[in-house]
Amino acid sequence: LPGLKRSIKNNSDRLELIFLKGIAFLYSKSIRKRIWLVGERNDTAQENGYFFYKYLKGYQPQEVSYYILNKKSTDYHLVSHFGNIIQYNSFKHKLFFFVCAYYVTAHNHYCFPTTISGKKRMPLPYSSKNIFLDHGITYADVSEFYGKQKSGINLFICGAKPEYDHVKNNFGYDENEVAYTGFARFDGLHNSSSSKQILVMPT
């Protein structure tokens, strides 16, 4: 019986993927628009994903962009006024996942939709670019998770020059696949003047 249940779930996952890819193909032919999907974790809008989305809506309104978020999130009000919020793991999320041009997240794979069984993350299509905004400075050797061969990342955004050098030299990316831009959330630092004080901020 357990084996039968697994077989049913696996077949359901395969059928769902085939169905979604077919619908996505027809939909992409009809809309002919470049879609940006932006997110962090499925329940947060508070760091690089949020500030990047805020930038798109404020300075690049011609771009068709959506933010992935669970509507039960306590951060929902922060992005609701921008519009185009997609409920995480909804049919619309899954459909746009297969037609988007850019998938931009601060936590790689966290906002990938899951199959109908809930056991597997769906694979991002090769036609989509996976842009990793990151959520902190990468200084350790975490290439096993974020290296080019395993991560599926097409563009790795870095927040500091030493991080940029470290990722470029040790994670297997080509030079044009790593960018030193600073973090999007730096845009939210309103008072950047220096003063003689010590900040202690445990995490």
Side-chain angles (χ1 to χ4, degrees):
L1 189 59
L4 179 60
K5 287 182 178 179
R6 282 196 298 271
S7 177
I8 292 172
K9 285 182 178 180
N10 289 338
N11 286 331
S12 298
D13 288 349
R14 280 194 288 268
L15 289 172
E16 183 187 26
L17 286 171
I18 292 170
F19 171 75
L20 283 167
K21 288 178 180 179
I23 295 294
F25 175 78
L26 296 174
Y27 186 73
S28 63
K29 293 296 182 183
S30 64
I31 60 168
R32 295 180 181 178
K33 295 178 181 177
R34 184 172 63 181
I35 292 175
W36 297 70
L37 284 187
V38 184
E40 296 171 353
R41 290 186 171 97
N42 66 60
D43 61 345
T44 64
Q46 55 189 230
E47 51 149 291
N48 289 323
Y50 165 71
F51 282 103
F52 181 76
Y53 188 66
K54 183 178 180 181
Y55 168 81
L56 280 178
K57 289 302 185 185
Y59 295 96
Q60 304 291 338
Q62 77 281 1
E63 299 292 347
V64 183
S65 56
Y66 296 84
Y67 195 89
I68 305 158
L69 189 65
N70 190 318
K71 291 182 178 179
K72 294 181 180 180
S73 168
T74 55
D75 294 333
Y76 188 84
H77 68 284
L78 295 175
V79 288
S80 59
H81 62 283
F82 293 126
N84 285 7
I85 301 178
I86 293 181
Q87 170 64 30
Y88 172 73
N89 219 36
S90 64
F91 175 77
K92 188 173 183 179
H93 179 198
K94 294 178 179 181
L95 174 62
F96 279 27
F97 181 77
F98 284 105
V99 300
C100 70
Y102 304 107
Y103 203 86
V104 189
T105 58
H107 296 267
N108 194 34
H109 296 151
Y110 272 68
C111 263
F112 279 30
T114 59
T115 55
I116 199 167
S117 69
K119 298 293 184 181
K120 298 179 181 178
R121 289 191 177 107
M122 293 185 171
L124 188 68
Y126 291 112
S127 58
S128 303
K129 298 298 183 185
N130 182 12
I131 301 174
F132 183 47
L133 296 178
D134 209 345
H135 50 277
I137 300 296
T138 301
Y139 66 92
D141 182 10
V142 289
S143 56
E144 180 181 353
F145 306 102
Y146 295 115
K148 179 178 179 179
Q149 297 303 319
K150 293 187 178 181
S151 68
I153 294 171
N154 300 111
L155 181 62
F156 196 120
I157 301 298
C158 297
K161 183 62 165 59
E163 177 194 26
Y164 168 76
D165 293 334
H166 174 60
V167 172
K168 185 178 65 172
N169 295 331
N170 299 295
F171 284 49
Y173 293 101
D174 296 333
E175 190 166 353
N176 64 344
E177 295 171 329
V178 185
Y180 169 38
T181 64
F183 285 154
R185 66 172 179 259
F186 292 169
D187 291 350
L189 299 175
H190 302 293
N191 180 7
S192 58
S193 59
S194 60
S195 60
K196 292 183 178 179
Q197 60 183 4
I198 297 174
L199 172 66
V200 179
M201 188 169 61
T203 67

